[in-house]
Amino acid sequence: MAKRLTHWTILLYLAALPMMAQVITETKEDEEEEEDEEDYGQVEYLGKPTKTYANARIFGLSPQRFVSLGWDVQLPYEMRFTELGTYSTDSTDLNFDAEKGLANYTGGFRLQLMTPVISNNRFLWQSMLNMWDVQYTARKRSHESWRDSLMHLTDTLNKYGLKTANWVNTFYVPFDDKNFIIAQLQLDLSGNYDWLNPLEGQLLYSGAILYGQRPNDRKQWAVGLSRTYRAGGMNYIPLLLYNWTSLSRKWGIEFLLPARGHGRYTFNPRSMLLFGYELEGSSYRIRQFSNDEVNFLIRRGELRFRLDYQRQIAGFWWLGLQAGYRVMYSFDGDRLEKGQPDFFNLLRTHPYAMRNQTDGTFYFNISINYVSP
């Protein structure tokens, strides 16, 4: 009888083990939950939620260049100039045959160096140095001026070319995950100076301010105002920035109107094609036509319609190939007394010192670029 009781006791104990284990497990879990609630329940209230800020770039944009070394070449074209003189803005009876020149070659190197000075989620400051050297192989075809003692513009371009060095600082400040402002300050030295003495050029300053939004990772827009010499003369113009990438990331738009506007097609992550236009130029001081009292300035502005193919060649090194048609928007001359502030070209009443007609021509550009990761 005792054995039977022992057997039943053992069987009951074995049958009760699962229930006891379940009770013990549930008890431990309840204790752990109580401990978690007691010890860690307030963690989410101890710190402030992390604030996010709008990134400066969206998906799919063409690579940002830190180092770029390129060569720019234009095919032959003809230039026609009036004599140096005084020409009102509404002059129509102009003798563009006073000097004719043929430019068989126009081109030179282009160097860009860019680095972030400060880069974090709340502030981005990028500093960039550009140097462009435009050389001419040009000759006079005819000349009717009586001023034989004055070196003519065709000869001056042929001997000295045109040079530009500019320093650009761009500041990007996001307020939150959508709103931002962009500010840019630029200093230029432009003229037909020697690289060893750039202070003989004309010192120019430009700037821009834009407010924009970044609704998502594929779109950003901004509007603002700019002081610029891109069209040759000094102008104050409104700006529209619009960058967009399709869901497939194959198509896109990169606009900063009116300075440039491009459509974009991405073949794959290593190659893309941009198609559109860019307006580029500056005001160049011509030493030979200037003196101690007056600066003579060529207001050069080029409108370039182009295809721009970009391809990765190794790591962060990309190759850039451009081909297009250049329209000379402006190549007229101005006299500016030393100390006299420049004037708003779109509303100009200032007379021209020389007028110009320059043919359009095809151009090509090749560059090697080190881009951002």
Side-chain angles (χ1 to χ4, degrees):
M1 185 71 177
K3 287 184 179 180
R4 289 181 180 175
L5 288 173
T6 303
H7 292 159
W8 281 108
T9 303
I10 294 172
L11 289 174
L12 288 172
Y13 176 76
L14 292 174
L17 275 178
M19 292 183 290
M20 293 169 63
Q22 183 176 356
V23 170
I24 292 170
T25 302
E26 290 177 353
T27 303
K28 285 185 176 180
E29 289 177 353
D30 290 342
E31 290 176 355
E32 287 175 359
E33 286 180 5
E34 290 177 3
E35 180 183 357
D36 288 344
E37 283 188 15
E38 182 178 351
D39 294 344
Y40 307 111
Q42 302 299 320
V43 168
E44 60 179 304
Y45 302 105
L46 295 179
K48 296 180 180 179
T50 302
K51 186 174 182 179
T52 58
Y53 295 93
N55 196 287
R57 290 173 61 82
I58 64 169
F59 291 149
L61 287 182
S62 54
Q64 188 175 34
R65 300 176 179 184
F66 285 162
V67 179
S68 178
L69 179 61
W71 195 266
D72 193 88
V73 176
Q74 298 182 20
L75 296 186
Y77 57 93
E78 189 172 75
M79 303 177 289
R80 293 177 292 276
F81 308 101
T82 64
E83 288 187 313
L84 294 180
T86 301
Y87 303 93
S88 63
T89 56
D90 57 353
S91 297
T92 55
D93 186 18
L94 300 173
N95 178 22
F96 287 105
D97 293 328
E99 180 180 342
K100 293 182 180 179
L102 177 65
N104 290 306
Y105 167 84
T106 304
F109 78 87
R110 296 187 173 198
L111 175 66
Q112 173 187 305
L113 303 172
M114 192 272 284
T115 183
V117 180
I118 299 175
S119 180
N120 56 52
N121 291 338
R122 302 183 63 177
F123 183 71
L124 175 62
W125 172 14
Q126 292 181 332
S127 189
M128 181 168 60
L129 176 67
N130 293 296
M131 299 174 68
W132 291 4
D133 186 17
V134 183
Q135 295 297 318
Y136 294 81
T137 300
R139 60 181 177 87
K140 288 196 301 290
R141 301 185 69 176
S142 65
H143 197 275
E144 300 176 3
S145 175
W146 54 268
R147 302 178 183 182
D148 294 330
S149 61
L150 180 66
M151 180 176 285
H152 308 302
L153 188 55
T154 305
D155 297 327
T156 305
L157 293 173
N158 181 74
K159 186 172 182 179
Y160 300 103
L162 297 174
K163 300 175 179 66
T164 297
N166 65 51
W167 181 35
V168 186
N169 287 278
T170 303
F171 308 92
Y172 175 83
V173 183
F175 300 120
D176 49 36
D177 61 344
K178 291 188 182 299
N179 300 278
F180 62 87
I181 60 171
I182 299 174
Q184 188 176 87
L185 297 174
Q186 177 172 328
L187 291 176
D188 291 65
L189 274 172
S190 299
N192 64 346
Y193 52 80
D194 187 279
W195 283 116
L196 297 177
N197 191 13
L199 294 181
E200 291 185 340
Q202 180 75 2
L203 180 63
L204 313 169
Y205 67 92
S206 306
I209 183 76
L210 299 99
Y211 161 77
Q213 292 188 358
R214 189 179 188 270
N216 54 59
D217 291 335
R218 296 180 298 103
K219 182 170 69 175
Q220 65 181 174
W221 61 265
V223 292
L225 184 67
S226 169
R227 172 192 166 105
T228 179
Y229 285 86
R230 273 184 179 262
M234 190 274 288
N235 288 302
Y236 292 94
I237 56 175
L239 292 177
L240 170 63
L241 179 146
Y242 186 78
N243 293 323
W244 168 82
T245 299
S246 67
L247 279 171
S248 66
R249 301 199 187 179
K250 285 291 185 181
W251 295 95
I253 291 172
E254 299 184 18
F255 283 175
L256 182 58
L257 304 178
R260 59 182 176 271
H262 293 93
R264 182 184 69 247
Y265 181 77
T266 302
F267 299 100
N268 55 59
R270 298 183 60 212
S271 64
M272 63 179 60
L273 178 69
L274 280 73
F275 45 92
Y277 81 93
E278 182 160 9
L279 181 62
E280 63 178 44
S282 188
S283 284
Y284 297 81
R285 178 179 182 267
I286 306 301
R287 293 176 293 158
Q288 291 72 23
F289 296 180
S290 302
N291 55 46
D292 293 338
E293 302 299 328
V294 177
N295 286 323
F296 180 86
L297 307 174
I298 288 291
R299 308 289 196 174
R300 174 175 173 260
E302 295 185 356
L303 183 60
R304 295 184 164 206
F305 300 96
R306 66 192 189 186
L307 297 174
D308 183 359
Y309 177 69
Q310 302 181 26
R311 181 175 179 82
Q312 182 186 26
I313 52 178
F316 298 122
W317 291 97
W318 282 58
L319 174 70
L321 297 172
Q322 285 185 30
Y325 191 79
R326 187 271 296 150
V327 176
M328 190 62 78
Y329 180 84
S330 171
F331 207 75
D332 296 322
D334 273 324
R335 286 192 183 95
L336 200 64
E337 294 182 6
K338 288 192 176 180
Q340 176 186 354
D342 214 338
F343 50 86
F344 185 19
N345 195 63
L346 289 180
L347 300 177
R348 66 178 295 148
T349 57
H350 194 86
Y352 291 99
M354 184 204 70
R355 303 303 303 273
N356 167 266
Q357 286 183 343
T358 298
D359 294 341
T361 188
F362 290 96
Y363 85 95
F364 304 92
N365 183 294
I366 182 171
S367 63
I368 299 293
N369 312 286
Y370 183 79
V371 305
S372 62

